[in-house]
Amino acid sequence: MPLNPVISKLSGKLVVLASASPRRLEILSNAGLRFEVVPSWFKETLDKSLFKHPCEYAVETAKQKALEVAQRMPFKHLKTPDIVIGADTVVTVDGLILEKPTDKQDAYRMLSRLSGKEHSVFTGVAIVICRDKNSSVTDYKVVDFYEETKVKFAELSEEMLWEYINSGEPMDKAGGYGIQALGGMLVEYVRGDFLNVVGFPLNHFCKQLGSIFNSPPASPAHKIKRDCDEAWTLVNKTTNGDVELLENVKDDSLTSVQEQNVMGLEFAKCNRQDVPHSIISLLDGFKVSKTLFTASKLKVFDVLNTPGGLTLEEVAGQINASLLGTERLLEAAVSLGLLERVRQEEISVYRNTEQASRFLVTDSPVSLHGYILHCNDMVWPLFSHLESAVREGTSQHERAFGKKKEDVFQDVYYSKDEVKIRFMDAMHSIARVTGKDLATAFDLSCYKTACDIGGCTGAMAYEFTKAHPELSVTIFDLPQVIEMRRHFQPKENDERVSFVAGDFFKDDLPKADLYILARVLHDWSDEKLHVLLSKLSKMWTPGCGLLVSEILLDEERRRPSRALLQALSMTEGKQRSTAEYSALLDKHGFTLKHVKHTDNLLDAMLFVKEEQNDKRTLLGCSSASIETAELE
Ligand SMILES: Cc1cn([C@@H]2O[C@H](COP(=O)(O)OP(=O)(O)OP(=O)(O)O)[C@@H](O)[C@H]2O)c(=O)[nH]c1=O
């Protein structure tokens, strides 16, 4: 009796592996499968934003890879395969999908993201069953599935990262590592199918083959979904050899076993074609945000920040909420990937996902909690008056909060302490999440003193001093802010960080080699900014730099939508593209030298003054820094 009877059932069939991956070839041939390899020409360029979950992206890519080969072979190879297998492996971390790195820097970015964290590896697999209906028409049934494996990386030092990257191993592997070789040394643990990480979930694949070829006839329940086999794809070979896709062709000649598998799958396909999924996601967007806000406000993620997790009853007790309401909230959070529900000794417990522990627990070093509460308490009420904002072209501050807003900050900072602290907490949490990326965006080694204009609690400044041991940073902000910052004392004291009170539109700025304007410019009109920029320009001395950090719109002003959505509730400010910022600053003699898209909440631009460029080099910035961070 063979180890897997299904594999032997495929003998005599033309099985094709639509993959160039040597790992997939090895896994399947080790399992005793006989097949031909025809690598797919399908380019992995599907728009990831169209998929609700990374597994859907991997499955769809696998399907397109396999279908491309299935459709090409009858023409280019003059034979029709019986079965084509396609697969696609992706690594997901922090809500991002990582594929194969494009170069060493890309591998570095991927591996440093994975360092010290748990991530998921998804392999999507598509099994395309082909059949020539007659000489000109082939039909295809697709059975697809995916497997998820969790992998935790150890903390990787810079030295290890580069040694591994320079070994060349990361380049043809999803996420930039190969668990089966040197990359295995980076891994602390694996939860799930190891071969799935390597590139092919053999066990799940055999089970699927088993249900295609061995399972009993379809149950009545499956027959109810009968309509969905209409979505079978038929390919018609036209006389000139072109391929024409015919959808919605019903095939009554399926065996019941095949129907059973295909129907479930094609039901999903019907959905994809006939239902506007992206619009439905948009419809639900506000529910998603409010679920996150409410769970954060009720401190669900803090309560669940305990090893082993808690039962529903325990969570409800700790957040002082009803059982039913808590259950609904926790279940919704599980469906959104914020929480996990696991069985432990016959009982279900909830626990934070890796991402929630890192970004949603209040006292995590990179907690977004403050910003989330700001979105709930300040931004949400403004958005509930969006229609009026659009009609009137003004911020709805007065409608939402009963007060006319003088300018963006005066109102906040002259209100109750509680409001001030909440606002500062939002700025503080954004600075903590983005600070490291901004501080390391460029070579700043030539600057010894910096002034963070509107630097609020100093969270950004601490990241800069951490990244640059020679740098001192002065935070310049309104007196009320400086007064309230005692509520945000950093854990470690850094004498290189100091605070000066003042209004950057009215008062003199402290002298510095590097000025930082993080998340400031978008809040103001061009006219108002000219006041600040003229002041900066007058203070400028040879060698100075200006680091501006904002969400940078693309030149078509289409993406990221985050910037444009934020603009909907803005008072007088404006979101701008790199070229728009550059033009604005150019009027005051600042020249854009480098741009960095950080893949974080904020991007960065470094400006200098043309006539002083040469002197800037004299101050000590390595020439390499100027070359390596060339304008993108
Ligand atoms: C995480 C991990 C991945 N991989 C390889 O990463 C490639 C993923 O890329 P893909 O796009 O799914 O496949 P491909 O290599 O481009 O081949 P193809 O299917 O022809 O597109 C596959 O090779 C996998 O083995 C490893 O070898 N080890 C690991 O630990």
Side-chain angles (χ1 to χ4, degrees):
M1 165 106 168
L3 195 55
N4 190 310
V6 187
I7 297 274
S8 61
K9 281 208 178 154
L10 294 181
S11 66
K13 294 198 189 298
L14 176 51
V15 178
V16 171
L17 174 63
S19 173
S21 167
R23 277 75 56 180
R24 294 189 183 121
L25 186 153
E26 197 184 345
I27 292 169
L28 285 170
S29 45
N30 282 348
L33 188 71
R34 308 277 294 262
F35 56 93
E36 279 184 29
V37 175
V38 179
S40 181
W41 293 349
F42 178 76
K43 296 257 176 300
E44 297 169 29
T45 51
L46 296 174
D47 183 350
K48 297 188 183 68
S49 67
L50 298 177
F51 297 87
K52 268 205 250 147
H53 194 277
C55 65
E56 291 178 11
Y57 170 80
V59 166
E60 188 59 30
T61 304
K63 195 157 134 187
Q64 294 304 331
K65 284 181 184 178
L67 277 170
E68 187 279 318
V69 169
Q71 290 164 7
R72 173 161 41 102
M73 282 191 68
F75 305 102
K76 293 274 189 274
H77 297 236
L78 301 178
K79 54 187 174 190
T80 301
D82 294 304
I83 288 174
V84 181
I85 304 160
D88 189 65
T89 302
V90 296
V91 166
T92 68
V93 65
D94 302 339
L96 289 174
I97 297 181
L98 310 181
E99 295 181 280
K100 287 160 288 189
T102 47
D103 55 34
K104 284 186 174 183
Q105 280 301 332
D106 201 21
Y108 174 80
R109 275 191 289 272
M110 291 184 180
L111 291 164
S112 37
R113 257 193 192 284
L114 299 175
S115 171
K117 281 190 251 170
E118 188 183 84
H119 63 267
S120 287
V121 181
F122 290 97
T123 297
V125 177
I127 305 168
V128 175
I129 303 154
C130 320
R131 196 178 32 176
D132 270 334
K133 281 192 73 139
N134 56 50
S135 61
S136 64
V137 176
T138 309
D139 67 26
Y140 302 97
K141 293 176 290 165
V142 190
V143 175
D144 59 20
F145 64 92
Y146 71 90
E147 182 70 30
E148 176 180 9
T149 306
K150 302 244 187 203
V151 179
K152 164 102 192 287
F153 264 26
E155 291 282 353
L156 310 177
S157 66
E158 290 288 294
E159 212 188 343
M160 274 166 90
L161 274 179
W162 281 112
E163 205 183 323
Y164 182 56
I165 292 166
N166 288 330
S167 75
E169 195 178 271
M171 298 320 294
D172 63 342
K173 304 192 178 66
Y177 74 95
I179 198 165
Q180 68 279 18
L182 294 176
M185 288 187 274
L186 315 178
V187 171
E188 250 174 44
Y189 64 73
V190 178
R191 283 213 323 256
D193 181 356
F194 180 86
L195 289 183
N196 183 50
V197 183
V198 181
F200 201 81
L202 184 62
N203 183 273
H204 197 158
F205 173 73
C206 290
K207 284 184 185 141
Q208 286 290 341
L209 282 187
S211 58
I212 294 171
F213 294 101
N214 288 335
S215 55
S219 66
H222 288 111
K223 293 227 160 85
I224 294 167
K225 291 183 185 166
R226 186 83 179 88
D227 289 352
C228 282
D229 63 4
E230 288 186 355
W232 275 50
T233 307
L234 290 201
V235 172
N236 187 29
K237 291 172 222 167
T238 58
T239 40
N240 63 7
D242 285 348
V243 175
E244 197 182 13
L245 287 181
L246 305 175
E247 302 282 359
N248 294 336
V249 179
K250 209 164 177 130
D251 181 353
D252 292 327
S253 62
L254 296 170
T255 68
S256 58
V257 174
Q258 287 163 337
E259 281 176 52
Q260 177 187 346
N261 286 289
V262 172
M263 274 190 282
L265 174 101
E266 297 298 353
F267 183 62
K269 190 174 166 192
C270 288
N271 278 342
R272 272 187 212 143
Q273 287 174 340
D274 304 344
V275 182
H277 283 285
S278 53
I279 295 176
I280 292 172
S281 300
L282 297 182
L283 271 172
D284 279 344
F286 76 98
K287 298 176 195 164
V288 172
S289 302
K290 202 62 184 172
T291 303
L292 172 65
F293 297 169
T294 305
S296 296
K297 196 151 189 166
L298 293 175
K299 302 252 171 93
V300 167
F301 306 105
D302 288 353
V303 163
L304 287 175
N305 192 28
T306 154
L310 297 178
T311 63
L312 166 64
E313 291 73 15
E314 287 168 330
V315 178
Q318 292 207 35
I319 64 170
N320 200 13
S322 70
L323 261 189
L324 181 62
T326 306
E327 184 174 23
R328 286 177 177 160
L329 180 66
L330 298 184
E331 289 296 301
V334 168
S335 78
L336 296 173
L338 300 173
L339 298 180
E340 289 173 338
R341 185 182 359 90
V342 287
R343 302 261 325 149
Q344 272 177 14
E345 293 160 15
E346 299 307 302
I347 48 165
S348 283
V349 296
Y350 294 91
R351 61 183 191 205
N352 287 338
T353 56
E354 185 76 18
Q355 186 151 243
S357 306
R358 206 163 131 71
F359 294 107
L360 302 177
V361 171
T362 321
D363 61 5
S364 145
V366 285
S367 175
L368 277 167
H369 186 79
Y371 185 46
I372 292 169
L373 293 200
H374 167 78
C375 291
N376 185 57
D377 298 345
M378 298 290 292
V379 185
W380 178 268
L382 291 175
F383 268 75
S384 65
H385 295 286
L386 185 57
E387 190 180 326
S388 311
V390 171
R391 284 188 196 286
E392 296 162 15
T394 54
S395 157
Q396 295 300 301
H397 204 261
E398 194 172 354
R399 273 201 183 88
F401 304 108
K403 260 199 273 176
K404 186 142 183 67
K405 198 166 189 177
E406 294 306 325
D407 75 28
V408 185
F409 299 103
Q410 294 295 342
D411 192 64
V412 167
Y413 289 133
Y414 286 107
S415 14
K416 288 190 266 171
D417 280 1
E418 184 197 321
V419 178
K420 279 184 226 167
I421 291 174
R422 195 177 52 207
F423 185 76
M424 288 174 72
D425 200 11
M427 300 305 113
H428 186 71
S429 76
I430 294 177
R432 284 195 302 182
V433 171
T434 56
K436 188 173 171 202
D437 279 346
L438 298 179
T440 55
F442 311 113
D443 176 0
L444 303 177
S445 59
C446 57
Y447 305 115
K448 302 293 168 245
T449 55
C451 172
D452 188 358
I453 302 174
C456 201
T457 63
M460 182 80 78
Y462 288 109
E463 291 299 336
F464 273 72
T465 52
K466 233 185 270 168
H468 305 283
E470 303 287 299
L471 189 71
S472 306
V473 186
T474 305
I475 290 106
F476 186 76
D477 215 319
L478 292 169
Q480 303 87 312
V481 178
I482 305 293
E483 212 274 307
M484 295 305 287
R485 79 177 168 87
R486 62 192 146 81
H487 294 274
F488 300 88
Q489 289 300 353
K491 293 232 161 60
E492 68 272 41
N493 224 353
D494 189 338
E495 283 168 2
R496 287 180 292 132
V497 175
S498 57
F499 291 81
V500 171
D503 180 333
F504 57 67
F505 283 121
K506 296 184 190 139
D507 302 321
D508 287 342
L509 301 171
K511 281 226 68 53
D513 305 336
L514 175 72
Y515 288 96
I516 302 167
L517 280 169
R519 230 172 166 266
V520 170
L521 301 190
H522 74 275
D523 275 323
W524 311 98
S525 64
D526 287 9
E527 296 67 45
K528 203 109 182 230
L529 285 178
H530 287 314
V531 177
L532 171 64
L533 296 175
S534 315
K535 192 188 297 224
L536 257 181
S537 181
K538 281 196 203 110
M539 305 215 35
W540 203 263
T541 51
C544 276
L546 169 61
L547 195 154
V548 173
S549 168
E550 294 287 349
I551 312 173
L552 295 177
L553 277 178
D554 66 21
E555 294 312 326
E556 311 247 280
R557 296 185 58 84
R558 286 205 199 121
R559 276 168 207 280
S561 53
R562 204 159 43 81
L564 300 162
L565 294 172
Q566 188 185 17
L568 285 168
S569 63
M570 274 166 33
T571 311
E572 58 180 291
K574 174 177 174 192
Q575 298 288 13
R576 299 170 178 90
S577 68
T578 312
E580 286 171 315
Y581 278 115
S582 176
L584 177 76
L585 279 115
D586 188 61
K587 295 203 178 103
H588 296 275
F590 300 105
T591 305
L592 178 59
K593 226 23 199 171
H594 313 300
V595 185
K596 178 100 180 216
H597 292 275
T598 63
D599 194 24
N600 199 325
L601 285 170
L602 297 172
D603 301 312
M605 295 172 286
L606 187 65
F607 291 85
V608 295
K609 279 215 177 196
E610 263 319 337
E611 67 273 16
Q612 282 130 13
N613 285 354
D614 299 340
K615 293 175 191 151
R616 176 171 173 259
T617 321
L618 289 179
L619 262 184
C621 268
S622 68
S623 54
S625 75
I626 297 171
E627 281 152 25
T628 48
E630 271 324 321
L631 260 179
E632 284 166 25

